[in-house]
Amino acid sequence: MDGNSASRNSSFPGTVRVNQKQSWATSPSGALYHFGTSGISVAVATGLTHPLDVLKVRLQMQLVGQRGPLIGMGPLCIQVLKNEGPKSLYLGLTPALTRSLLYGGLRLGLYEPSKYACDWAFGSTNILVKVVSGAFAGAISTAITNPVEVVKVRLQMNTDLRKRGPITEVRSIVANEGIGALWKGVGAATARAAALTASQLATYDESKQLLVKWMRLEEGFCLHLASSTIAGLLSTLITAPIDMVKTRLMLQRESGGRYKNGFHCAYKVLRTEGPRGLYKGGFAIFARLGPQTTITFILCEKLRKLVGLNAI
């Protein structure tokens, strides 16, 4: 997320101008706009795609520890609507939006300062630096907001609509499983967030530069749409198995449950459910993550322009 001029002029040596003050570092209001536009864009995208996230979690919990035919996203959606009603597709929306504002603001917001720091230290912002910067931003963000994610996932699997409040769920988790349960799956969640942010932001950043160079696209909607679509495709392929492991761990209520950690969970899934097990809900992940990535980046670019920040 360096500025237009800094990033485009130096993308192929791959450096930003460290002697040029970055927009997020000019004032407290600049920093607020920088993190705020990121959080708002992620929250809007999350709200629009939340029903797909609910379906994704339900798909990932099919036939735990078993092989067999899986229900597709379409039939599952019809089944949920028939048995639980339309409101069930918005289970966990409150913690999802809360997490999006915090996690999204930090995840996207920390990417540019991380990349800028690497350029200052090593004199380069090549693709490897972008991947590392994205991984760092994603890992820090999810470690902080993991409790909200646990509550969201638990609520999405709760078929009793009368007991779906986030505060009630938090109290139940702490009372029955201990406060440490709010950080269940934090290892897998951190790995997923690091992989997601690295693949999303590095791919989006690099795709923009390559499309400007090879396709002669100018800064605007077409460039943002093409770059975000590429980023959504790649990030889905990379993060789908990690996302499935994260969901299984977060929904494991017993302290000595089926899975000991993320690696053990992946191993057990491969042995008992086969390689396809790691991609349960994979289409739902793409159906959600693809549009969410596109909406996030396009909206973020528009908001940054409105408040006078440079393009990503």
Side-chain angles (χ1 to χ4, degrees):
M1 279 188 184
D2 38 14
N4 266 349
S5 58
S7 178
R8 306 295 173 255
N9 291 343
S10 57
S11 58
F12 296 98
T15 60
V16 292
R17 296 177 181 175
V18 294
N19 60 341
Q20 182 179 357
K21 197 73 169 177
Q22 301 298 296
S23 55
W24 46 266
T26 54
S27 66
S29 62
L32 179 64
Y33 288 147
H34 173 71
F35 286 97
T37 54
S38 300
I40 290 170
S41 60
V42 173
V44 171
T46 297
L48 292 173
T49 59
H50 188 75
L52 295 169
D53 191 45
V54 173
L55 294 176
K56 176 210 74 174
V57 170
R58 300 289 182 93
L59 289 168
Q60 289 174 332
M61 294 304 293
Q62 289 186 88
L63 299 177
V64 175
Q66 306 173 53
R67 297 174 187 255
L70 302 174
I71 301 175
M73 187 171 70
L76 177 64
C77 182
I78 294 170
Q79 180 181 308
V80 170
L81 288 171
K82 182 179 178 181
N83 297 335
E84 303 172 42
K87 285 186 178 180
S88 62
L89 293 177
Y90 288 90
L91 288 170
L93 181 61
T94 299
L97 293 177
T98 302
R99 177 180 177 273
S100 295
L101 285 169
L102 300 173
Y103 167 73
L106 289 171
R107 187 171 71 88
L108 269 66
L110 287 174
Y111 173 69
E112 184 178 354
S114 300
K115 193 172 69 170
Y116 183 76
C118 288
D119 183 58
W120 177 82
F122 307 111
S124 173
T125 53
N126 57 34
I127 185 64
L128 180 60
V129 168
K130 292 174 184 177
V131 169
V132 172
S133 300
F136 171 78
I140 293 295
S141 304
T142 203
I144 294 171
T145 60
N146 195 76
V148 191
E149 175 74 357
V150 171
V151 173
K152 183 201 78 169
V153 172
R154 295 287 182 93
L155 288 173
Q156 287 175 334
M157 284 299 294
N158 182 9
T159 57
D160 188 347
L161 300 182
R162 295 168 299 176
K163 300 178 180 179
R164 68 178 186 275
I167 302 301
T168 303
E169 187 65 32
V170 170
R171 288 174 177 169
S172 175
I173 291 171
V174 173
N176 297 325
E177 304 169 56
I179 196 167
L182 292 172
W183 272 270
K184 277 188 176 179
V186 68
T190 300
R192 176 194 175 272
L196 173 64
T197 310
S199 57
Q200 262 189 347
L201 286 167
T203 303
Y204 181 77
D205 198 344
E206 198 71 11
S207 295
K208 283 185 73 175
Q209 294 180 3
L210 294 174
L211 288 170
V212 167
K213 182 183 181 183
W214 293 345
M215 305 296 292
R216 302 299 178 187
L217 292 179
E218 296 182 355
E219 190 69 46
F221 178 79
C222 291
L223 178 61
H224 302 160
L225 178 62
S227 302
S228 59
T229 301
I230 295 169
L233 280 168
L234 184 62
S235 57
T236 300
L237 288 172
I238 292 173
T239 61
I242 310 173
D243 190 81
M244 195 281 304
V245 169
K246 179 208 73 170
T247 299
R248 292 284 179 90
L249 290 173
M250 287 183 173
L251 286 169
Q252 183 170 263
R253 295 181 182 272
E254 307 86 9
S255 57
R258 174 186 290 270
Y259 309 120
K260 298 176 183 177
N261 51 50
F263 291 109
H264 184 246
C265 177
Y267 171 73
K268 292 276 285 185
V269 169
L270 281 171
R271 284 205 61 185
T272 59
E273 303 171 45
R276 281 186 62 198
L278 289 174
Y279 279 89
K280 281 182 179 177
F283 181 75
I285 292 174
F286 174 71
R288 169 184 171 268
L289 192 56
Q292 187 187 44
T293 302
T294 301
I295 294 167
T296 296
F297 283 122
I298 290 177
L299 182 57
C300 191
E301 296 278 21
K302 292 293 183 184
L303 291 175
R304 289 174 70 88
K305 186 177 180 180
L306 283 174
V307 299
L309 298 177
N310 293 325
I312 297 172

